[in-house]
């Protein structure tokens, strides 16, 4: 199994600012992902974090708004840029140890934008 | 791409009753179907999964069935307990290669004592 730690666990931010969320996995994983979960909603994939290269974004998400880094196999960051109240959500880091295996999730980072 | 539909969105049962959550998928190439449980304020966690080479899998009070022809799969919880109350998500994807599961919209299960 993989244990995923995220920080911050929650934050309250001002409109127009940016926040970086960090994700650390305790073991090497093949793939890392970032999801957004609005209250009471499903899990929406933002992007796949690729080691050493640009992330692969899903439709509706762009690099300028959600820059992602993954410098090694166990660490990734997601930045939410120029935040607005619509960005208030829970952001979840996830990873899979091997292709086709179980998806593990971090505890999530609850973001509130005022 | 894959599209996963999940029903019902909310399910309320009495303790001891059974609960069934159903999902359909669109991509016939999908061959891995996990179910995740998310308790309030917690992270989603895998509770059971099934691959397309079997039709049913059981783990104590939880079972999952798969009908590849009809492209639907279901989660069955027997003898429900209050601690089963949570949001359940189904997912479907093609295992091997690029692993990107598509999630259903979730079912909020409420088990009344």
């Amino acid at each position: 199994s993989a244990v995923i730690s995220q920080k911050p666990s929650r934050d309250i931010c001002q409109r127009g600012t940016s926040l970086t969320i960090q994700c650390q996995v305790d073991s090497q994983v093949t793939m890392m992902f970032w999801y957004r979960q609005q209250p009471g909603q499903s899990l929406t994939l933002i992007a796949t974090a690729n080691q050493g290269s640009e992330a692969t974004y899903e439709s509706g998400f762009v690099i300028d708004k959600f820059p992602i880094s993954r410098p090694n196999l166990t660490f990734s960051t997601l930045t939410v840029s120029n935040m607005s109240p619509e960005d208030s959500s829970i952001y979840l880091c996830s990873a899979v140890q091997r292709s086709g295996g179980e998806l593990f999730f971090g505890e999530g980072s609850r973001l509130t934008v005022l | 791409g894959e599209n996963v539909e999940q029903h019902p969105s909310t399910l309320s049962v009495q303790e001891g009753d059974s609960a069934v959550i159903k999902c359909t998928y669109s991509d016939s190439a999908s061959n891995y179907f996990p179910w995740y449980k998310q308790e309030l304020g917690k992270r989603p966690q895998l509770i059971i999964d099934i691959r397309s080479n079997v039709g049913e899998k059981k783990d104590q009070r939880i079972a999952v069935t798969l009908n590849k022809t009809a492209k639907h799969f279901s989660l069955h919880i027997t003898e429900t307990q209050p601690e089963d109350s949570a949001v359940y998500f189904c997912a479907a994807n093609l295992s091997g290669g690029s692993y990107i599961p598509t999630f259903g919209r979730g079912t909020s299960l409420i088990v009344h004592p």
Side-chain angles (χ1 to χ4, degrees), chain A residues 13 19 25 27 30 32 34 37 46-47 51 56 66 72 77 86-89 94-96 102-103 108 112-113:
Chain A
C13 305
L19 179 77
V25 190
S27 57
T30 54
M32 295 182 73
W34 287 97
Q37 187 175 33
I46 297 172
Q51 184 197 358
T56 305
F66 298 101
N72 57 52
T77 67
E86 293 71 37
D87 295 320
S88 297
S89 188
S94 67
V96 58
E102 177 180 351
L103 192 63
T112 302
V113 185

Side-chain angles (χ1 to χ4, degrees), chain A residues 4 31 33 35 37 41-43 45 48 99-103 105-107, chain B residues 32 36 38 42-44 46 51 89 95-97 99-101 103-105:
Chain A
I4 300 179
M31 302 183 77
F33 308 96
Y35 283 88
Q37 187 175 33
Q41 301 295 314
S42 187
L43 300 153
L45 182 63
T48 302
S99 186
E102 177 180 351
L103 192 63
F105 287 90
E107 287 281 11
Chain B
Y32 177 62
Y36 290 83
Q38 186 176 30
K42 301 286 185 63
R43 73 187 81 195
L46 180 74
R51 297 186 186 274
F89 294 99
S95 68
Y99 178 101
I100 304 178
F103 285 90
R105 297 180 66 83

Side-chain angles (χ1 to χ4, degrees), chain A residues 20-23 34 49 66-71 75-79:
Chain A
T20 295
I21 303 167
Q22 297 182 3
C23 175
W34 287 97
F66 298 101
I68 289 170
S69 77
R70 188 183 173 191
F75 184 78
S76 178
T77 67
L78 167 73
T79 298

Side-chain angles (χ1 to χ4, degrees), chain B residues 44-91:
Chain B
Q45 291 190 293
L46 180 74
I47 54 170
I48 195 168
D49 56 14
I50 190 168
R51 297 186 186 274
S52 60
N53 57 343
V54 297
E56 183 175 0
K57 183 177 180 180
K58 287 189 70 173
D59 182 3
Q60 300 181 342
R61 296 187 297 109
I62 295 173
V64 57
T65 58
L66 171 65
N67 183 326
K68 284 182 61 180
T69 304
K71 290 190 283 189
H72 67 69
F73 56 112
S74 302
L75 177 72
H76 304 254
I77 306 175
T78 59
E79 301 172 33
T80 53
Q81 301 167 3
E83 50 264 40
D84 294 329
S85 297
V87 178
Y88 292 81
F89 294 99
C90 63

